[in-house]
Amino acid sequence: MKFITVDTYAELSRKAANLIAAQILSKPECVLGLATGSTPIGTYDNLTKMYEEGDLDFSTVTSVNLDEYVGLDGSNDQSYRWFMNHHLFDRVNIDKANTSVPGGTVSDLAAEGAAYDAKIKALGGIDLQLLGIGLDGHIGFNEPDTRFIAETHEVELHPSTIEANARFFNDISEVPTKAITMGMGAIMQAKKVLLIANGPKKKEIVEKAFFGPITPEVPASILQLHPDVTVIYSIND
Ligand code: GLP
């Protein structure tokens, strides 16, 4: 594991964008696993800038996102599909047909999960998976549990996650209580993993995840077993 500590969120965002850019430059037809949350926004801003300056071409990139809230469709501005369109896809020359986010409004979430895993497999897996980390150690929406779940699956969000994500909604009662998330299988099979975490509030969970015991009670701790993980932690927000 490469653990990089930086001072500022701006530095974290630049470094993360550079690593993603390096992936795209070295393999233009790569598969990127992408994440939502507030942390990757600066990374996406930097990638957009590189594209605007003519230094990055997304035309042959494919992306698969980690997760989606159950009950929100892509036109809802709280959905993760909307987030990705707004923060990255609509700003660069990626072909939207080559971007995937799990469907949160399908009637059969189990079938959606199986189809999502089959799609990732058919793509040859993920070249670089970008991750944030929840305050309870979740990656994607893989919440603390008694076991690691390999497949894309439906998940009941923990009260602490609902509370943490309420800041994006008008009222906590509007936060969906369920999500569909890529499981640990596709994440662990990604050739490279890049986890970004920002600020003092993430310090304790980052230490637990990367320097504590490997346990499904701290989902991100499984990454200690991945052969190519880079963590970028910024001390300040
Ligand atoms: C959500 C997402 C995660 C993300 C986490 C942390 O729960 N499902 O993928 O890592 O939030 O978000 P933030 O970056 O805003 O702290």
Side-chain angles (χ1 to χ4, degrees), residues 1 14 34 53 64 102 115-116 160 164 168 186 188 196 215 225:
M1 171 182 50
R14 274 203 315 276
L34 296 177
E53 289 172 353
V64 286
Y116 206 69
S160 67
F168 300 113
M188 288 301 283
I196 52 177
T215 163
L225 300 172

Side-chain angles (χ1 to χ4, degrees), residues 90-159:
D90 286 339
R91 304 166 77 196
V92 299
N93 66 336
I94 198 164
D95 180 349
K96 283 251 189 81
N98 295 334
T99 69
S100 297
V101 179
T105 53
V106 296
S107 54
D108 187 344
L109 287 162
E112 173 70 8
Y116 206 69
D117 287 335
K119 182 185 279 184
I120 295 169
K121 198 171 168 203
L123 288 168
I126 296 163
D127 289 298
L128 172 64
Q129 176 65 55
L130 176 66
L131 297 170
I133 184 169
L135 288 171
D136 62 2
H138 70 243
I139 49 178
F141 267 134
N142 290 277
E143 292 279 35
D145 204 335
T146 49
R147 66 192 177 105
F148 293 114
I149 301 173
E151 300 79 24
T152 299
H153 60 283
E154 183 180 354
V155 62
E156 194 90 39
L157 300 179
H158 283 201

Side-chain angles (χ1 to χ4, degrees), residues 35-40 66-67 69 80 131-135 138-141 161 165 167-168 201-202:
T36 55
S38 54
T39 313
L66 284 166
D67 47 9
Y69 286 117
Y80 284 168
L131 297 170
I133 184 169
L135 288 171
H138 70 243
I139 49 178
F141 267 134
T161 299
N165 289 356
R167 67 189 191 281
F168 300 113
K201 63 180 183 308
K202 293 281 170 76

Side-chain angles (χ1 to χ4, degrees), residues 31-81:
V31 179
L32 297 179
L34 296 177
T36 55
S38 54
T39 313
I41 291 175
T43 304
Y44 295 150
D45 287 345
N46 277 279
L47 288 171
T48 301
K49 193 163 162 260
M50 290 179 205
Y51 163 71
E52 285 169 352
E53 289 172 353
D55 292 330
L56 212 50
D57 175 13
F58 287 81
S59 63
T60 52
V61 170
T62 299
S63 73
V64 286
N65 255 79
L66 284 166
D67 47 9
E68 181 58 282
Y69 286 117
V70 168
L72 302 191
D73 78 13
S75 62
N76 187 311
D77 63 7
Q78 303 293 354
S79 72
Y80 284 168
R81 161 53 79 180

